[in-house]
Coordinates of all heavy atoms in Angstrom, one line a residue:
M271 N 164.5 103.2 -81.4 CA 163.5 103.1 -82.4 C 162.3 102.5 -81.9 O 162.3 101.4 -81.2 CB 164.0 102.3 -83.6 CG 163.0 102.2 -84.7 SD 163.6 101.4 -86.2 CE 163.8 99.7 -85.6
K272 N 161.1 103.0 -82.1 CA 159.9 102.5 -81.7 C 159.2 101.8 -82.9 O 159.1 102.4 -84.0 CB 158.9 103.6 -81.1 CG 157.6 103.1 -80.7 CD 156.7 104.2 -80.2 CE 155.4 103.7 -79.9 NZ 154.4 104.7 -79.6
I273 N 158.7 100.6 -82.6 CA 158.0 99.9 -83.7 C 156.6 99.5 -83.2 O 156.5 99.0 -82.1 CB 158.8 98.6 -84.1 CG1 160.1 98.9 -84.6 CG2 158.0 97.8 -85.1 CD1 161.0 97.7 -84.9
D274 N 155.6 99.8 -84.0 CA 154.2 99.4 -83.6 C 153.8 98.3 -84.6 O 154.1 98.3 -85.8 CB 153.3 100.6 -83.8 CG 153.6 101.7 -82.8 OD1 153.9 101.4 -81.6 OD2 153.5 102.9 -83.1
Y275 N 153.1 97.3 -84.0 CA 152.6 96.2 -84.8 C 151.1 96.1 -84.7 O 150.5 96.2 -83.6 CB 153.1 94.8 -84.3 CG 154.6 94.7 -84.5 CD1 155.5 94.9 -83.5 CD2 155.1 94.2 -85.7 CE1 156.9 94.8 -83.6 CE2 156.5 94.1 -85.9 CZ 157.4 94.4 -84.9 OH 158.7 94.2 -85.0
Y276 N 150.4 96.0 -85.9 CA 149.0 95.9 -85.9 C 148.6 94.7 -86.8 O 149.3 94.3 -87.7 CB 148.4 97.2 -86.5 CG 148.7 98.4 -85.8 CD1 149.8 99.2 -86.1 CD2 147.9 98.8 -84.7 CE1 150.2 100.3 -85.4 CE2 148.2 100.0 -84.0 CZ 149.3 100.7 -84.3 OH 149.6 101.8 -83.6
V277 N 147.4 94.2 -86.5 CA 146.8 93.1 -87.3 C 145.5 93.7 -87.8 O 144.7 94.2 -87.0 CB 146.6 91.8 -86.5 CG1 145.8 90.8 -87.3 CG2 147.9 91.3 -86.0
E278 N 145.2 93.6 -89.1 CA 144.0 94.1 -89.6 C 143.3 92.9 -90.4 O 143.9 92.1 -91.1 CB 144.2 95.2 -90.6 CG 144.6 96.5 -89.9 CD 144.7 97.7 -90.9 OE1 144.2 97.6 -92.0 OE2 145.2 98.7 -90.5
L279 N 142.0 92.8 -90.2 CA 141.2 91.8 -90.9 C 139.8 92.3 -90.9 O 139.2 92.7 -89.9 CB 141.2 90.5 -90.1 CG 140.4 89.4 -90.8 CD1 141.1 88.9 -92.1 CD2 140.3 88.2 -89.8
A280 N 139.2 92.3 -92.1 CA 137.8 92.7 -92.4 C 137.5 94.1 -91.7 O 136.4 94.2 -91.0 CB 136.9 91.6 -91.8
G281 N 138.4 95.0 -91.9 CA 138.1 96.4 -91.4 C 138.4 96.6 -89.9 O 138.2 97.7 -89.4
E282 N 138.8 95.5 -89.2 CA 139.1 95.6 -87.7 C 140.6 95.7 -87.6 O 141.3 95.0 -88.3 CB 138.5 94.4 -87.0 CG 137.1 94.2 -87.1 CD 136.3 95.1 -86.1 OE1 136.8 95.4 -85.1 OE2 135.1 95.4 -86.4
Q283 N 141.0 96.5 -86.6 CA 142.5 96.7 -86.4 C 142.8 96.4 -84.9 O 142.0 96.8 -84.0 CB 143.0 98.1 -86.7 CG 144.5 98.2 -86.6 CD 144.9 99.7 -86.9 OE1 144.5 100.6 -86.1 NE2 145.6 99.8 -87.9
T284 N 143.8 95.6 -84.6 CA 144.2 95.3 -83.3 C 145.7 95.7 -83.1 O 146.5 95.3 -83.9 CB 144.0 93.8 -82.9 OG1 142.6 93.6 -83.1 CG2 144.4 93.5 -81.5
D285 N 146.0 96.4 -82.0 CA 147.4 96.7 -81.7 C 148.0 95.6 -80.9 O 147.5 95.2 -79.9 CB 147.3 98.0 -80.8 CG 148.7 98.5 -80.4 OD1 149.7 97.7 -80.5 OD2 148.7 99.6 -79.8
C286 N 149.1 95.0 -81.5 CA 149.7 93.8 -80.9 C 150.3 94.1 -79.5 O 150.3 93.3 -78.6 CB 150.8 93.3 -81.8 SG 150.0 92.6 -83.3
K287 N 150.8 95.4 -79.3 CA 151.4 95.7 -78.0 C 150.2 95.7 -76.9 O 150.5 95.3 -75.8 CB 152.0 97.1 -78.0 CG 152.6 97.5 -76.7 CD 153.2 98.9 -76.7 CE 153.8 99.3 -75.4 NZ 153.1 98.9 -74.2
K288 N 149.1 96.2 -77.3 CA 147.9 96.1 -76.4 C 147.7 94.7 -76.0 O 147.3 94.4 -74.8 CB 146.7 96.7 -77.1 CG 145.5 96.7 -76.2 CD 144.3 97.2 -77.0 CE 143.0 97.1 -76.2 NZ 141.8 97.6 -76.9
L289 N 147.8 93.7 -76.9 CA 147.5 92.3 -76.5 C 148.5 91.8 -75.5 O 148.2 91.2 -74.5 CB 147.6 91.4 -77.8 CG 146.5 91.7 -78.9 CD1 146.8 90.8 -80.0 CD2 145.1 91.6 -78.3
S290 N 149.8 92.1 -75.7 CA 150.8 91.7 -74.7 C 150.6 92.4 -73.4 O 150.9 91.8 -72.3 CB 152.2 91.9 -75.3 OG 152.5 93.3 -75.5
D291 N 150.2 93.7 -73.4 CA 149.9 94.4 -72.2 C 148.8 93.7 -71.4 O 148.8 93.6 -70.2 CB 149.6 95.9 -72.4 CG 150.7 96.7 -72.9 OD1 151.9 96.2 -72.7 OD2 150.5 97.8 -73.4
I292 N 147.8 93.3 -72.1 CA 146.6 92.6 -71.5 C 147.1 91.3 -70.8 O 146.7 91.0 -69.7 CB 145.5 92.3 -72.5 CG1 144.8 93.6 -72.9 CG2 144.4 91.3 -71.9 CD1 143.9 93.5 -74.0
V293 N 148.0 90.5 -71.5 CA 148.5 89.3 -70.9 C 149.3 89.6 -69.7 O 149.2 88.9 -68.7 CB 149.4 88.6 -72.0 CG1 150.1 87.3 -71.4 CG2 148.5 88.1 -73.2
K294 N 150.1 90.7 -69.7 CA 150.9 91.0 -68.5 C 150.0 91.4 -67.4 O 150.2 91.0 -66.2 CB 151.8 92.2 -68.8 CG 153.0 91.9 -69.8 CD 153.7 93.1 -70.1 CE 154.8 92.9 -71.1 NZ 155.5 94.1 -71.5
E295 N 148.9 92.1 -67.6 CA 147.9 92.4 -66.6 C 147.2 91.2 -66.0 O 147.0 91.1 -64.8 CB 146.9 93.4 -67.1 CG 147.4 94.8 -67.3 CD 148.0 95.4 -66.1 OE1 147.4 95.3 -65.0 OE2 149.1 96.0 -66.1
I296 N 146.9 90.2 -66.9 CA 146.4 89.0 -66.4 C 147.4 88.3 -65.5 O 147.0 87.8 -64.4 CB 146.0 88.1 -67.6 CG1 144.8 88.7 -68.3 CG2 145.6 86.7 -67.1 CD1 144.4 88.0 -69.6
W297 N 148.6 88.2 -65.9 CA 149.7 87.6 -65.1 C 149.8 88.2 -63.7 O 149.8 87.6 -62.7 CB 151.0 87.8 -65.8 CG 152.2 87.3 -65.2 CD1 153.2 88.1 -64.6 CD2 152.7 86.0 -64.9 NE1 154.2 87.4 -64.0 CE2 153.9 86.1 -64.3 CE3 152.2 84.7 -65.3 CZ2 154.6 84.9 -63.9 CZ3 152.9 83.6 -65.0 CH2 154.1 83.7 -64.3
K298 N 149.7 89.6 -63.7 CA 149.8 90.3 -62.4 C 148.6 90.1 -61.5 O 148.6 89.9 -60.3 CB 150.0 91.8 -62.6 CG 151.5 92.1 -63.1 CD 151.8 93.6 -63.0 CE 150.9 94.4 -63.9 NZ 151.4 95.8 -64.0
S299 N 147.4 90.1 -62.2 CA 146.1 89.9 -61.5 C 146.0 88.5 -60.8 O 145.3 88.3 -59.9 CB 144.9 90.2 -62.4 OG 144.8 89.1 -63.3
E300 N 146.8 87.6 -61.3 CA 146.8 86.2 -60.7 C 147.8 86.1 -59.6 O 148.1 85.0 -59.1 CB 147.1 85.2 -61.8 CG 146.0 85.1 -62.8 CD 146.3 84.2 -64.0 OE1 147.5 83.8 -64.2 OE2 145.4 83.8 -64.7
G301 N 148.4 87.2 -59.2 CA 149.3 87.3 -58.0 C 150.7 87.0 -58.4 O 151.5 86.8 -57.5
N302 N 151.1 87.0 -59.6 CA 152.5 86.8 -60.1 C 153.2 88.1 -60.1 O 152.6 89.2 -60.3 CB 152.5 86.1 -61.4 CG 151.8 84.8 -61.4 OD1 152.2 83.9 -60.7 ND2 150.7 84.7 -62.2
L303 N 154.5 88.0 -60.0 CA 155.4 89.2 -60.2 C 156.0 89.3 -61.6 O 156.3 88.3 -62.2 CB 156.6 89.1 -59.2 CG 156.2 89.0 -57.7 CD1 157.4 88.7 -56.9 CD2 155.4 90.2 -57.3
M304 N 156.1 90.5 -62.0 CA 156.6 90.8 -63.4 C 158.0 90.2 -63.5 O 158.4 89.7 -64.6 CB 156.6 92.2 -63.8 CG 155.2 92.8 -64.0 SD 154.3 91.9 -65.3 CE 155.3 92.2 -66.7
K305 N 158.8 90.2 -62.5 CA 160.2 89.7 -62.5 C 160.2 88.2 -62.8 O 161.2 87.6 -63.2 CB 161.0 90.0 -61.3 CG 160.5 89.3 -60.0 CD 161.4 89.6 -58.8 CE 160.9 88.8 -57.7 NZ 162.0 88.2 -57.0
D306 N 159.1 87.5 -62.5 CA 159.0 86.1 -62.8 C 158.5 85.7 -64.1 O 158.4 84.5 -64.5 CB 158.1 85.4 -61.7 CG 158.6 85.5 -60.3 OD1 159.9 85.5 -60.2 OD2 157.9 85.7 -59.4
L307 N 158.1 86.7 -64.9 CA 157.7 86.5 -66.3 C 158.9 86.4 -67.2 O 159.5 87.4 -67.5 CB 156.8 87.6 -66.8 CG 155.9 87.3 -68.0 CD1 154.7 88.2 -68.0 CD2 156.6 87.5 -69.3
A308 N 159.3 85.2 -67.5 CA 160.5 85.0 -68.3 C 160.3 85.0 -69.8 O 161.1 85.4 -70.6 CB 161.2 83.7 -67.9
S309 N 159.1 84.4 -70.2 CA 158.8 84.3 -71.6 C 157.3 84.4 -71.8 O 156.5 84.0 -70.9 CB 159.3 83.1 -72.3 OG 158.6 81.9 -71.7
M310 N 156.9 84.9 -73.0 CA 155.5 85.1 -73.3 C 155.3 84.9 -74.8 O 155.9 85.5 -75.6 CB 155.0 86.5 -72.9 CG 153.5 86.8 -73.2 SD 152.9 88.3 -72.5 CE 154.2 89.5 -73.1
E311 N 154.4 83.9 -75.1 CA 154.0 83.7 -76.5 C 152.5 84.2 -76.6 O 151.7 83.8 -75.8 CB 154.1 82.2 -76.8 CG 155.5 81.7 -76.7 CD 155.5 80.2 -76.8 OE1 154.7 79.6 -77.5 OE2 156.4 79.6 -76.1
V312 N 152.2 85.0 -77.6 CA 150.9 85.5 -77.8 C 150.5 85.1 -79.2 O 151.2 85.4 -80.2 CB 150.8 87.0 -77.6 CG1 149.4 87.6 -77.8 CG2 151.3 87.4 -76.2
Y313 N 149.3 84.5 -79.3 CA 148.7 84.1 -80.6 C 147.4 84.8 -80.8 O 146.5 84.5 -80.0 CB 148.5 82.6 -80.7 CG 149.8 81.8 -80.3 CD1 150.1 81.4 -79.0 CD2 150.6 81.4 -81.4 CE1 151.3 80.7 -78.8 CE2 151.8 80.7 -81.1 CZ 152.1 80.3 -79.8 OH 153.2 79.6 -79.5
F314 N 147.3 85.5 -81.8 CA 146.0 86.3 -82.0 C 145.3 85.7 -83.3 O 145.9 85.6 -84.3 CB 146.2 87.7 -82.2 CG 145.0 88.5 -82.6 CD1 143.9 88.5 -81.8 CD2 145.0 89.3 -83.7 CE1 142.7 89.2 -82.1 CE2 143.8 90.0 -84.0 CZ 142.7 90.0 -83.2
K315 N 144.1 85.2 -83.1 CA 143.3 84.7 -84.2 C 142.2 85.7 -84.6 O 141.1 85.6 -83.9 CB 142.8 83.3 -83.9 CG 143.9 82.2 -83.7 CD 143.3 80.9 -83.4 CE 142.9 80.3 -84.8 NZ 142.5 78.9 -84.7
P316 N 142.5 86.6 -85.5 CA 141.5 87.6 -85.8 C 140.2 87.1 -86.3 O 139.1 87.7 -86.0 CB 142.2 88.5 -86.8 CG 143.3 87.7 -87.3 CD 143.6 86.7 -86.3
E317 N 140.2 86.0 -87.0 CA 138.9 85.4 -87.5 C 138.0 84.9 -86.3 O 136.8 84.9 -86.5 CB 139.1 84.3 -88.5 CG 139.7 83.0 -87.9 CD 141.2 83.0 -87.8 OE1 141.9 84.1 -87.9 OE2 141.8 81.9 -87.5
E318 N 138.6 84.6 -85.2 CA 137.8 84.2 -84.0 C 137.7 85.4 -83.0 O 137.0 85.2 -82.0 CB 138.5 83.0 -83.3 CG 138.6 81.8 -84.1 CD 139.4 80.7 -83.4 OE1 139.7 80.8 -82.2 OE2 139.5 79.6 -84.1
K319 N 138.5 86.5 -83.2 CA 138.5 87.5 -82.2 C 139.0 87.0 -80.9 O 138.5 87.5 -79.8 CB 137.2 88.3 -82.1 CG 136.9 89.0 -83.4 CD 135.7 89.9 -83.2 CE 135.4 90.6 -84.5 NZ 134.3 91.5 -84.4
M320 N 139.9 86.1 -80.9 CA 140.5 85.5 -79.7 C 142.0 85.6 -79.6 O 142.6 85.6 -80.6 CB 140.1 84.0 -79.6 CG 138.7 83.7 -79.4 SD 138.0 84.3 -77.8 CE 138.9 83.2 -76.7
C321 N 142.5 85.8 -78.4 CA 143.9 85.9 -78.2 C 144.3 84.7 -77.2 O 143.6 84.6 -76.2 CB 144.3 87.2 -77.6 SG 146.0 87.5 -77.3
Y322 N 145.3 83.9 -77.6 CA 145.7 82.8 -76.8 C 147.2 83.2 -76.3 O 147.9 83.8 -77.1 CB 145.7 81.5 -77.5 CG 144.3 81.2 -78.1 CD1 143.9 81.7 -79.3 CD2 143.4 80.4 -77.4 CE1 142.6 81.4 -79.8 CE2 142.2 80.1 -77.8 CZ 141.8 80.6 -79.1 OH 140.5 80.3 -79.6
Y323 N 147.5 82.7 -75.2 CA 148.9 83.0 -74.7 C 149.5 81.8 -73.9 O 148.7 81.0 -73.3 CB 148.9 84.3 -73.9 CG 148.1 84.3 -72.6 CD1 148.6 83.8 -71.4 CD2 146.8 84.7 -72.6 CE1 147.8 83.8 -70.3 CE2 146.0 84.7 -71.5 CZ 146.5 84.2 -70.3 OH 145.8 84.2 -69.2
V324 N 150.8 81.8 -73.8 CA 151.5 80.9 -73.0 C 152.6 81.7 -72.3 O 153.4 82.4 -72.9 CB 152.2 79.8 -73.9 CG1 153.0 78.8 -73.0 CG2 151.2 79.0 -74.7
I325 N 152.6 81.6 -71.0 CA 153.6 82.3 -70.2 C 154.6 81.3 -69.6 O 154.2 80.3 -69.0 CB 153.0 83.1 -69.1 CG1 152.1 84.2 -69.7 CG2 154.0 83.7 -68.1 CD1 151.3 85.1 -68.8
N326 N 155.9 81.5 -69.7 CA 156.9 80.7 -69.1 C 156.8 79.2 -69.6 O 157.2 78.3 -68.9 CB 157.0 80.8 -67.6 CG 157.3 82.2 -67.2 OD1 158.0 83.0 -67.9 ND2 157.0 82.5 -65.9
G327 N 156.2 79.0 -70.8 CA 156.2 77.7 -71.3 C 155.1 76.8 -70.8 O 154.9 75.7 -71.3
D328 N 154.4 77.2 -69.7 CA 153.4 76.3 -69.1 C 152.1 77.0 -68.7 O 151.1 76.3 -68.6 CB 154.0 75.5 -68.0 CG 154.4 76.4 -66.8 OD1 154.3 77.6 -66.9 OD2 154.9 75.8 -65.8
S329 N 152.0 78.2 -68.4 CA 150.8 78.9 -68.0 C 150.1 79.4 -69.2 O 150.5 80.2 -69.9 CB 151.2 80.1 -67.1 OG 150.0 80.7 -66.6
K330 N 148.9 78.8 -69.5 CA 148.1 79.1 -70.7 C 146.8 79.7 -70.4 O 146.3 79.6 -69.3 CB 147.9 77.8 -71.5 CG 149.1 77.0 -71.9 CD 148.7 75.7 -72.5 CE 150.0 75.0 -72.9 NZ 149.7 73.7 -73.5
G331 N 146.4 80.6 -71.3 CA 145.1 81.2 -71.2 C 144.6 81.8 -72.5 O 145.3 81.7 -73.5
Q332 N 143.5 82.4 -72.4 CA 142.9 83.1 -73.6 C 141.9 84.2 -73.1 O 141.5 84.2 -72.0 CB 142.1 82.0 -74.4 CG 140.9 81.5 -73.7 CD 140.3 80.3 -74.5 OE1 141.0 79.5 -75.1 NE2 139.0 80.3 -74.6
F333 N 141.7 85.1 -74.1 CA 140.7 86.1 -73.8 C 140.2 86.6 -75.2 O 140.8 86.4 -76.2 CB 141.2 87.3 -73.0 CG 142.5 88.0 -73.6 CD1 142.3 89.0 -74.4 CD2 143.7 87.5 -73.3 CE1 143.4 89.7 -74.9 CE2 144.8 88.1 -73.8 CZ 144.7 89.2 -74.6
E334 N 138.9 87.1 -75.1 CA 138.3 87.6 -76.4 C 138.7 89.1 -76.6 O 138.7 89.9 -75.6 CB 136.8 87.5 -76.3 CG 136.0 87.8 -77.5 CD 134.6 87.5 -77.4 OE1 134.1 86.9 -76.4 OE2 133.9 87.9 -78.4
I335 N 138.8 89.5 -77.9 CA 139.1 90.8 -78.2 C 137.8 91.5 -78.7 O 137.1 91.0 -79.5 CB 140.2 90.9 -79.4 CG1 141.5 90.3 -78.9 CG2 140.4 92.3 -79.8 CD1 142.2 91.0 -77.8

């Protein structure tokens, strides 16, 4: 079964899978291997149009949507 998640606020829509895909691409672009990605927390604040993330409990970052 495929499930899609979206967040909508003030007429704007964001695909949650897209956010996690961006975090994975950032992880890889920093020279890390996907097999080393054990956990990922993604926090999207639509009112700020910002996405914050934590990888493996210690690698933190953010990006604008």
Side-chain angles (χ1 to χ4, degrees):
M271 173 174 73
K272 180 182 175 190
I273 300 173
D274 294 320
Y275 293 97
Y276 299 93
V277 175
E278 290 188 11
L279 179 70
E282 300 280 331
Q283 184 183 67
T284 300
D285 179 347
C286 295
K287 182 181 180 319
K288 178 181 175 183
L289 298 179
S290 64
D291 288 345
I292 291 170
V293 174
K294 289 175 186 176
E295 286 302 316
I296 292 170
W297 174 255
K298 290 192 299 188
S299 74
E300 293 175 345
N302 300 297
L303 300 175
M304 288 304 297
K305 69 178 185 134
D306 296 328
L307 197 157
S309 67
M310 177 173 49
E311 300 168 33
V312 180
Y313 305 89
F314 176 55
K315 294 187 78 173
E317 68 276 11
E318 296 177 6
K319 294 187 178 182
M320 290 296 294
C321 185
Y322 303 89
Y323 61 88
V324 180
I325 295 176
N326 295 339
D328 62 359
S329 180
K330 300 177 182 179
Q332 65 188 42
F333 57 92
E334 187 174 352
I335 299 297

